[in-house]
Amino acid sequence: MNIVEIENLGIQFGGLKALSGITFSLQKEERIGIIGPNGAGKTTLFNIMTGFYKPTTGTITLKGERIDRLHSSEISKRGVNRTFQNIRLFGSLSVLENVLVGMNNRIQDSVAQTILLTRRGRESEKKGVARARELLELMGLGDKADELSMNLSYGDQRRLELARALANEPEVLLLDEPTAGMNPQEAIVMIGLVNSIRQKGMSILIVEHNMRVVMDLAGRIVVLDAGMKIAEGTPKEIQHNPAVIKAYLGEET
């Protein structure tokens, strides 16, 4: 069953077409990798799917309901959450508080209001705190719940951002460069974490430059180049696709 349907999606900034004619679907519990050279439109696609941009053409449906004109907070309420290529944590908050803020994304107030609401409610919201601690344990951060997030190592910050995205219990999770900047060992740990959360029934889209990560995680891959989809298939099919090889290497095979 398809949980997300993207049809003829496009966006234009002034005279520049950043995306054009993008069509593909995401099934329940499926993992799709989105790859392509720099500037291909991968993060722009995520920004449209999460309501940061509004498309010029096309539609996005979630379980049959159009979401492409909704505000980002409404899309989050319906079960679509993301991480970012550049880590966006609240450095002056504790690790636990960062996850609790993620739970409040369904109520899209200002950052300051959200933080205040979270702090005032911590004692009474025992269920939320318990859930946050469960997610931190899952990410291997259980013993760092009271540390300031700014003091975490880079790899730990990446895992914290993933925990925060999971706090809203999404049905569809968008991971934007989840292993960016990680060393090989940290990347292996992240692969294991993504594999484990997929078993909880989530559908996952992954933008990633690390081809090993994509091949390990994705059952299907969509390839973008210059804002257009040039290929779609299994990892093995994509590895041997002439159009994909040309896009990355700039030469015919």
Side-chain angles (χ1 to χ4, degrees):
M1 178 185 76
N2 292 335
I3 190 168
V4 175
E5 295 272 2
I6 297 174
E7 287 285 341
N8 195 35
L9 196 69
I11 189 169
Q12 189 165 325
F13 300 105
L16 174 65
K17 287 186 176 181
L19 287 176
S20 180
I22 305 298
T23 297
F24 67 93
S25 60
L26 176 68
Q27 296 179 1
K28 185 174 177 58
E29 299 186 22
E30 185 179 23
R31 288 175 295 181
I32 293 180
I34 310 291
I35 68 171
N38 289 333
K42 305 181 295 295
T43 295
T44 299
L45 173 63
F46 273 18
N47 285 337
I48 298 174
M49 292 184 69
T50 50
F52 290 92
Y53 297 157
K54 297 295 183 284
T56 307
T57 60
T59 61
I60 303 174
T61 59
L62 175 69
K63 297 187 291 186
E65 177 188 7
R66 280 190 67 173
I67 62 170
D68 51 89
R69 295 296 172 183
L70 297 179
H71 189 274
S72 58
S73 62
E74 289 298 317
I75 294 174
S76 178
K77 287 179 185 178
R78 284 162 171 76
V80 180
N81 272 35
R82 70 177 292 182
T83 64
F84 292 86
Q85 181 176 350
N86 298 314
I87 296 172
R88 299 188 180 186
L89 299 175
F90 297 105
S92 60
L93 295 185
S94 72
V95 170
L96 178 64
E97 286 172 327
N98 267 273
V99 180
L100 291 172
V101 168
M103 291 178 181
N104 281 310
N105 282 345
R106 292 179 183 271
I107 305 172
Q108 190 68 24
D109 294 312
S110 71
V111 171
Q113 288 173 318
T114 301
I115 293 169
L116 287 171
L117 284 170
T118 300
R119 284 177 170 164
R120 284 200 301 266
R122 276 181 62 185
E123 292 302 320
S124 60
E125 295 177 356
K126 292 181 180 180
K127 185 175 179 181
V129 171
R131 173 59 179 157
R133 290 190 182 280
E134 286 178 10
L135 289 170
L136 291 177
E137 289 292 341
L138 178 65
M139 296 295 123
L141 298 172
D143 61 341
K144 299 179 180 179
D146 296 323
E147 292 186 24
L148 293 181
S149 65
M150 69 172 69
N151 295 332
L152 295 180
S153 69
Y154 181 83
D156 284 349
Q157 287 184 355
R158 279 280 177 199
R159 289 193 289 278
L160 175 56
E161 189 176 47
L162 179 55
R164 193 174 64 180
L166 293 173
N168 222 22
E169 299 185 359
E171 291 189 69
V172 178
L173 181 63
L174 312 183
L175 301 178
D176 195 353
E177 300 280 359
T179 67
M182 287 185 167
N183 62 44
Q185 186 56 44
E186 289 172 331
I188 289 171
V189 171
M190 181 61 78
I191 289 170
L193 291 172
V194 175
N195 276 323
S196 68
I197 63 177
R198 183 254 184 175
Q199 295 171 4
K200 299 182 182 297
M202 257 173 270
S203 304
I204 303 174
L205 283 176
I206 308 157
V207 164
E208 182 59 69
H209 277 103
N210 187 323
M211 289 299 104
R212 178 186 173 187
V213 173
V214 173
M215 298 302 170
D216 283 348
L217 288 178
R220 187 155 51 101
I221 295 174
V222 171
V223 187
L224 304 183
D225 186 28
M228 301 180 70
K229 187 178 84 171
I230 62 170
E232 179 178 349
T234 66
K236 185 175 181 179
E237 290 169 341
I238 294 302
Q239 280 180 309
H240 298 94
N241 186 297
V244 176
I245 296 171
K246 181 181 179 181
Y248 274 95
L249 301 181
E251 59 186 19
E252 299 285 355
T253 59

